[in-house]
Amino acid sequence: MTALDHDALLRRDDLRLLLCVGTGGVGKTTMSAALAVRAAQLGRRVVVVTIDPARRLAQAMGLDGLAHDPVPVPLPDSTDPGRGPAGSLDAMMLDVRDAFDRALTAQVDAAEADRIRSNPFYRALAEAFSGTQEYVAMEKIGELHRRGAATGEWDLIVVDTPPSASALDFLDGPNRLESLARNPLLRVVLGLPRGPLGFLDAGAALATRALDAILGGRLFGDLRTFLRVFERAVLAFESHATQTRQLLASDAAGFLVIAAARPGPAAEASALIERLRRDALPVRGVVVNQTSDVAGVVDEVALRAAAASATPEQAVIIEGYRERLARVATERPLIEKLGGFGLPLATIGRRPEPVSDLRSLVALLGGFDQ
Amino acid sequence: MPARCPLHIVTGKGGVGKTTIALALAHALAADGATVVVAEVEARGGLSLATGLEVGADPRPLFEVAADQPHAPDRPPGLEQQLLGLLFGRRATGPRRGRVEGVQIDPRASLAGYLQRHYRLGFAAEVLQVEPLVDFATRIAPGLRDILLIGQVTHLTETHPEIDALVLDAPPSGRIGSFLGAGAALAELTDGSPIATQAASVMDDLRDPGCRTHVVTLLDELPASEAIETVQVIRDLGLGLGSVIANRCLPQLDLPRPLPPAPAPLTDVEWASITGPVAAQAEQARAQTAWQALLEHRTRLPLLRLPELRPGIASAEQPAELAGLLGRL
């Protein structure tokens, strides 16, 4: 197994976009924040896009207010003399509702924007439709990249991807919205201009009847109104989305798969790695978070001898250590399986305390600046 | 009219182990000799992953549960007993073997079922099998998809009268408010439209005293804060609450203070490499206790602690591991 050297990765000038992907509960948000701070310490000009950080993490990043646009984050002082000048760090939270609203209403005049905001479908789509978050995140990545390239404010974007039922949603979500806007049957049902697919009319009549039966006339009318605007917005995004996708597949991008040494998250991580590879997206490594690592300097023989001579007080500690070793042993095959992909891999031990400041955040990555 | 079948809804932040707990809950309920169906609605194959069995649109057996031994007064109650006590205020005594079954409720099938039951329009659902359109029709109307899913779950007891209890592996707590509140939201929008009737009937099912929501959490900042918010959301919806279930709890460890010196033949450095991780874990366990106290105080619900399942077990062995865990405590 190759060890993942995050410093070397973060120092690479050609890396412009780093995405932390993985299933829920594995620490993506914390990890992306830690990597962003570290990259800035190493001299990069970084902007980190976080999604729903824990309160303490948000406070540590200076994000406890609303920060829908990047705000500067003061870096902790460095005690590492050999490291060179620090860069800069900006952080922002992705507000899906706000970003979606801006994107959608940018396509229409003010009066129509107001009308669309009061449309029940708009509210539902902004909040609930699977794919919206991912779509908005993708838009935001593209926007930050263009802005960074134009102004020179940033040379590295670190992205925490949205929490979702499946780690693969980040890749699939945006397409879902687009294929919806382009679906010919839907366009017929809604009375939108359509391509040369007249044979769909019969199916569309049935689908119309079914939708009418489910929704009733009023809601169906609202739906038609909404989709006309939605369609325009989605198609207008499309050139951006294509650019962003090219960026994600290029050498300027890197995906880090965040996993945990538990069966569910480890299986999800494996599926995600396979998928990223199939899509020819650049996976830079795997981070297995929340492991039970111990230094392991005492061998079993010495441990047994110590247990034999231990007082009851010492025995309590040795027993606790043995339990910990048993946990390490059950995590090992999961980590080895993830290592089997041949990607650089790092493990990060469980911490007793939540992150309280930027220094402890960076310390997660392994003993820097301590 | 017969009493409604008990419905236990399991939610919690992503990654806290909802599916495992839903199975454990079903196991506990089945210890009474009951037939319990665990239904998942997220189409991500969580039940298949957890049990190693193919779970599809029709209920299939997952495992059998042997009747529990009569509870001995000198033995502390097992987890199963604790769960039953929490849920029903009684203990398992049934002589029958219980069964746990699993089913994956899918929006497309739910839509087809709805159209067929109410309009004899099942064929339209066939037409609607154009993937994005189904996705669209069942997701975009506020709450429509959720109403269809919940309706399909409660409808199970009509097509399968042998079911004694339902456990719903529900969406994560971030979406549970809109999921369970969908009926009310939809009724507002659709006054008089066909789906409004369905929405009202789903809300009736959810407001039934036999329906309770359990919130799974970890004793950790993010999941615990979210659990507190979730309990409030469900309370605000006027729905019944069950318990808070704290998963993956570390064992409490009382370390002697100050730490004793190294036992022979270990050097001080070696001893420090042992005491370090153990002290860190004891610290973590203490932090968990603080989150537990906060959860109990803020939710005013019974809280059940579950230890961490041994990681690394093959998925096919999970039910047995689960049963073993239930028996061991």
Side-chain angles (χ1 to χ4, degrees):
Chain A
M1 254 187 263
T2 333
L4 173 66
D5 181 347
H6 20 71
D7 276 11
L9 177 64
L10 296 172
R11 276 199 176 101
R12 287 179 52 164
D13 289 344
D14 59 341
L15 182 76
R16 294 308 178 103
L17 176 63
L18 185 64
L19 298 105
C20 295
V21 292
T23 181
V26 296
K28 276 195 302 277
T29 302
T30 307
M31 199 51 55
S32 46
L35 289 162
V37 177
R38 183 64 188 160
Q41 286 185 328
L42 293 172
R44 302 298 298 265
R45 295 190 308 281
V46 186
V47 57
V48 56
V49 184
T50 73
I51 295 163
D52 198 22
R55 200 165 47 87
R56 252 182 250 250
L57 177 62
Q59 280 167 353
M61 306 275 291
L63 287 177
D64 35 351
L66 294 171
H68 302 157
D69 286 308
V71 293
V73 180
L75 290 172
D77 289 335
S78 170
T79 53
D80 177 356
R83 206 175 46 206
S88 62
L89 177 63
D90 288 350
M92 62 166 289
M93 277 200 270
L94 186 65
D95 181 330
V96 171
R97 188 78 192 265
D98 177 72
F100 191 70
D101 185 81
R102 280 199 233 176
L104 201 60
T105 53
Q107 309 300 322
V108 297
D109 62 42
E112 200 174 2
D114 282 342
R115 239 192 342 271
I116 205 76
R117 278 194 204 96
S118 63
N119 188 297
F121 291 97
Y122 165 74
R123 297 179 55 87
L125 190 68
E127 280 164 12
F129 191 79
S130 107
T132 310
Q133 279 204 326
E134 291 79 4
Y135 197 79
V136 166
M138 213 66 120
E139 263 293 295
K140 194 46 102 181
I141 292 167
E143 187 193 311
L144 290 172
H145 184 70
R146 288 191 297 275
R147 183 170 148 189
T151 65
E153 285 167 279
W154 310 295
D155 60 20
L156 178 64
I157 305 169
V158 178
V159 183
D160 164 29
T161 53
S164 54
S166 157
L168 296 175
D169 278 0
F170 182 69
L171 301 173
D172 294 334
N175 291 339
R176 227 176 277 157
L177 277 193
E178 264 167 44
S179 60
L180 173 60
R182 292 192 165 280
N183 183 269
L185 183 52
L186 177 69
R187 300 171 66 79
V188 176
V189 170
L190 297 169
L192 295 166
R194 60 180 192 276
L197 291 164
F199 67 89
L200 284 171
D201 285 3
L206 267 179
T208 304
R209 208 179 134 205
L211 280 175
D212 197 33
I214 303 164
L215 300 174
R218 198 186 89 191
L219 210 51
F220 197 22
D222 285 343
L223 177 59
R224 285 175 193 246
T225 312
F226 169 72
L227 275 151
R228 289 204 181 90
V229 175
F230 170 70
E231 185 219 12
R232 245 184 294 167
V234 167
L235 298 184
F237 290 160
E238 216 167 25
S239 63
H240 285 173
T242 309
Q243 280 175 20
T244 307
R245 235 170 271 138
Q246 281 167 357
L247 175 65
L248 291 182
S250 74
D251 285 342
F255 287 79
L256 273 186
V257 175
I258 317 293
R262 294 192 300 274
E268 285 245 15
S270 295
L272 183 57
I273 294 167
E274 281 161 13
R275 171 63 192 278
L276 288 165
R277 287 193 161 164
R278 207 164 47 241
D279 289 4
L281 293 167
V283 194
R284 308 289 182 165
V286 183
V287 178
V288 187
N289 202 4
Q290 303 157 354
T291 61
S292 305
D293 294 342
V294 286
V297 294
V298 181
D299 66 22
E300 183 53 38
V301 176
L303 199 61
R304 220 176 298 142
S309 75
T311 65
E313 290 198 326
Q314 290 164 332
V316 170
I317 295 171
I318 293 174
E319 187 47 38
Y321 186 69
R322 281 194 186 281
E323 271 171 33
R324 180 75 171 249
L325 287 180
R327 195 165 288 286
V328 173
T330 55
E331 288 175 5
R332 197 169 299 134
L334 293 172
I335 297 171
E336 273 164 13
K337 183 149 183 287
L338 287 168
F341 285 99
L343 293 163
L345 183 141
T347 59
I348 292 183
R350 232 183 267 235
R351 296 277 155 158
E353 283 298 316
V355 165
S356 54
D357 58 18
L358 296 190
R359 201 180 291 278
S360 60
L361 193 59
V362 175
L364 282 178
L365 297 177
F368 304 106
D369 280 6
Q370 288 179 325
Chain B
M1 196 180 125
R4 283 188 176 87
C5 173
L7 171 60
H8 296 276
I9 299 169
V10 179
T11 185
K13 187 172 162 57
V16 300
K18 278 186 298 296
T19 304
T20 310
I21 299 304
L23 285 166
L25 197 55
H27 193 289
L29 292 164
D32 230 4
T35 297
V36 184
V37 172
V38 183
E40 69 173 335
V41 292
E42 291 272 272
R44 60 190 185 94
L47 279 180
S48 298
L49 192 69
T51 59
L53 300 166
E54 204 60 46
V55 176
D58 287 311
R60 64 151 294 167
L62 296 178
F63 44 92
E64 287 208 328
V65 181
D68 205 40
Q69 292 301 308
H71 177 66
D74 58 337
R75 199 163 61 95
L79 174 59
E80 211 159 74
Q81 302 284 358
Q82 289 183 40
L83 273 169
L84 279 175
L86 269 175
L87 300 172
F88 306 112
R90 66 180 167 78
R91 292 170 185 157
T93 49
R96 288 190 295 147
R97 283 172 84 78
R99 270 160 91 77
V100 174
E101 301 186 356
V103 62
Q104 183 170 338
I105 305 290
D106 150 65
R108 178 191 299 155
S110 305
L111 177 63
Y114 170 79
L115 288 172
Q116 188 55 36
R117 283 199 296 281
H118 296 272
Y119 303 100
R120 309 253 163 267
L121 263 176
F123 67 92
E126 293 298 314
V127 174
L128 285 170
Q129 282 195 7
V130 183
E131 190 59 45
L133 185 57
V134 173
D135 208 28
F136 159 79
T138 55
R139 280 171 196 252
I140 190 172
L144 172 59
R145 178 175 188 269
D146 301 333
I147 289 304
L148 293 172
L149 288 171
I150 301 172
Q152 189 78 358
V153 172
T154 53
H155 184 66
L156 277 174
T157 57
E158 283 163 43
T159 50
H160 299 77
E162 72 280 7
I163 298 176
D164 297 307
L166 286 166
V167 176
L168 174 58
D169 184 5
S173 40
R175 289 207 303 281
I176 195 70
S178 62
F179 181 74
L180 296 178
L186 197 60
E188 215 171 275
L189 283 172
T190 53
D191 50 344
S193 85
I195 193 75
T197 323
Q198 172 86 352
S201 118
V202 160
M203 283 321 279
D204 282 351
D205 285 338
L206 294 178
R207 289 194 183 114
D208 186 83
C211 171
R212 268 177 283 178
T213 300
H214 308 272
V215 181
V216 183
T217 187
L218 305 181
L219 297 178
D220 207 352
E221 180 185 10
L222 224 52
S225 321
E226 194 164 315
I228 291 169
E229 282 166 29
T230 305
V231 166
Q232 193 53 48
V233 165
I234 291 162
R235 237 175 221 140
D236 291 345
L237 285 171
L239 304 181
L241 281 155
S243 49
V244 174
I245 301 173
N247 197 17
R248 291 193 223 130
C249 295
L250 292 169
Q252 295 298 316
L253 191 59
D254 284 322
L255 286 188
R257 289 282 168 195
L259 290 173
L266 301 182
T267 65
D268 285 350
V269 172
E270 286 171 334
W271 183 235
S273 80
I274 289 176
T275 57
V278 174
Q281 185 158 329
E283 181 50 44
Q284 222 172 329
R286 250 195 308 281
Q288 290 194 343
T289 313
W291 285 113
Q292 177 179 345
L294 186 72
L295 272 163
E296 284 171 326
H297 173 70
R298 296 283 297 277
T299 65
R300 305 186 305 281
L301 289 175
L303 184 144
L304 184 67
R305 289 174 63 102
L306 299 188
E308 183 149 27
L309 268 183
R310 197 158 49 89
I313 49 170
S315 52
E317 291 163 14
Q318 284 247 9
E321 176 75 12
L322 212 56
L325 172 71
L326 289 163
R328 194 170 71 232
L329 287 176

